[in-house]
Amino acid sequence: MGLKASSSLLCLAILLGVSSIVSSVNITRALENYPEFSTMIELLAKTELTPIINKRQTITVLALSNDAIGSISGRPEEELKNILMNHVVLDYYDELKLKALKDKSTLLTTLYQSTGLGQQQNGFLNCSKANGKIVFGSAVKGAPLTAEYITTVFRNPFNLSVVQISMPIVAPGLGAPVKVPPPPPMTSPPAPAPKKAGATPAPGPAEEEDYADAPPGAAPETAPASAPSEDGSPAPAPENAGKKKMAAADEVEPPSSASNTGLRFGGALVLGFVASFSGF
């Protein structure tokens, strides 16, 4: 008997230890290392939902970051409590299980539905796959699916899962809907860098003077090379040749005075001959 009693006590101690370990994994401890969810932890405590969540053995919390939950944090406490209960799913879902869903649309039961206050399926959520994304929304007919799955923050398989979504889900009848935030502005692609032109050598001093004297738009002229002379001496430049021609023309001697006197005497003889002929 003593051996059986000791074995029973040992099994009981193990069960108590395991149960204490399981119960120690609660929503507060799961999110305490994530400061971006500090507001949600405060609101769950304020609405007294923290102990209710921690009593559940299988549960999934759709968590909202501080920025996302700001759109509902200022609402009346009773309204806020109903909305937050709609973010507590009474089943276990993590990233693997969500991506493995074969149906295009899956109905999820929330903590709000367990209160008996649900109407027209506003205590259920619709989880669907669209355009390669996993989206959530109220199961009420016509309700939009605007909350996108972002990541799995915490997981303790088949016990507690914390899944981050992009915005709050406000089912019809639980409060005013939350507007979908506008998409971030598109940024234009950066302009391509200008191509580097090939380096050209800077003109010398003589070329700069020629460019300055030439009219705008005119290209500098280059004189053709002169052919070498037969004797091997360099041919004269065109300007020097012109000057030599002008000098040769200036060097031609004018008619001498003797030739002028001869011309005058010949003319007198002609006139005398004409006069004598006319006398006959």
Side-chain angles (χ1 to χ4, degrees):
M1 285 296 292
L3 183 60
K4 290 183 179 180
S6 60
S7 298
S8 300
L9 291 175
L10 180 60
C11 292
L12 181 61
I14 293 173
L15 289 174
L16 290 175
V18 171
S19 63
S20 63
I21 292 174
V22 171
S23 63
S24 66
V25 180
N26 57 47
I27 185 62
T28 303
R29 293 184 180 179
L31 293 178
E32 63 183 359
N33 294 326
Y34 300 92
E36 62 269 29
F37 299 105
S38 59
T39 302
M40 186 161 191
I41 294 176
E42 294 175 2
L43 294 180
L44 289 176
K46 178 181 177 181
T47 55
E48 299 180 352
L49 289 176
T50 301
I52 297 175
I53 293 173
N54 292 340
K55 288 179 180 179
R56 296 279 177 171
Q57 295 299 318
T58 303
I59 206 165
T60 299
V61 177
L62 304 182
L64 297 163
S65 67
N66 297 340
D67 293 336
I69 205 171
S71 58
I72 61 172
S73 59
R75 301 197 181 192
E77 186 171 332
E78 189 63 27
E79 178 181 337
L80 179 62
K81 182 177 182 178
N82 293 336
I83 294 173
L84 291 177
M85 281 195 291
N86 235 11
H87 288 72
V88 180
V89 179
L90 303 182
D91 201 349
Y92 179 86
Y93 289 95
D94 58 8
E95 183 175 6
L96 295 176
K97 189 174 180 179
L98 289 172
K99 291 185 176 181
L101 293 175
K102 296 181 180 180
D103 297 333
K104 293 183 178 180
S105 180
T106 302
L107 203 64
L108 309 179
T109 305
T110 70
L111 185 61
Y112 181 74
Q113 179 65 23
S114 66
T115 63
L117 300 176
Q119 297 179 358
Q120 298 180 352
Q121 290 192 318
N122 64 355
F124 295 91
L125 296 181
N126 186 356
C127 176
S128 301
K129 293 181 179 179
N131 300 324
K133 298 180 179 179
I134 301 173
V135 292
F136 298 87
S138 174
V140 175
K141 186 177 181 180
L145 303 177
T146 54
E148 295 184 11
Y149 167 82
I150 298 177
T151 187
T152 298
V153 181
F154 177 87
R155 60 189 296 268
N156 183 18
F158 308 107
N159 181 21
L160 174 64
S161 175
V162 180
V163 172
Q164 182 182 3
I165 59 176
S166 61
M167 63 176 293
I169 302 171
V170 182
L174 299 185
V178 177
K179 294 181 179 180
V180 180
M186 297 181 63
T187 57
S188 57
K195 295 182 178 180
K196 294 182 179 180
T200 55
E207 294 178 1
E208 291 180 355
E209 292 178 1
D210 293 342
Y211 292 155
D213 295 339
E221 297 181 356
T222 57
S226 302
S229 60
E230 295 180 357
D231 56 358
S233 60
E239 294 182 1
N240 295 336
K243 291 181 181 179
K244 287 185 178 182
K245 288 182 180 180
M246 293 176 63
D250 293 340
E251 290 175 359
V252 177
E253 295 181 356
S256 62
S257 59
S259 61
N260 291 337
T261 303
L263 290 174
R264 286 194 295 270
F265 179 74
L269 287 177
V270 173
L271 290 175
F273 177 75
V274 173
S276 63
F277 179 76
S278 60
F280 288 107

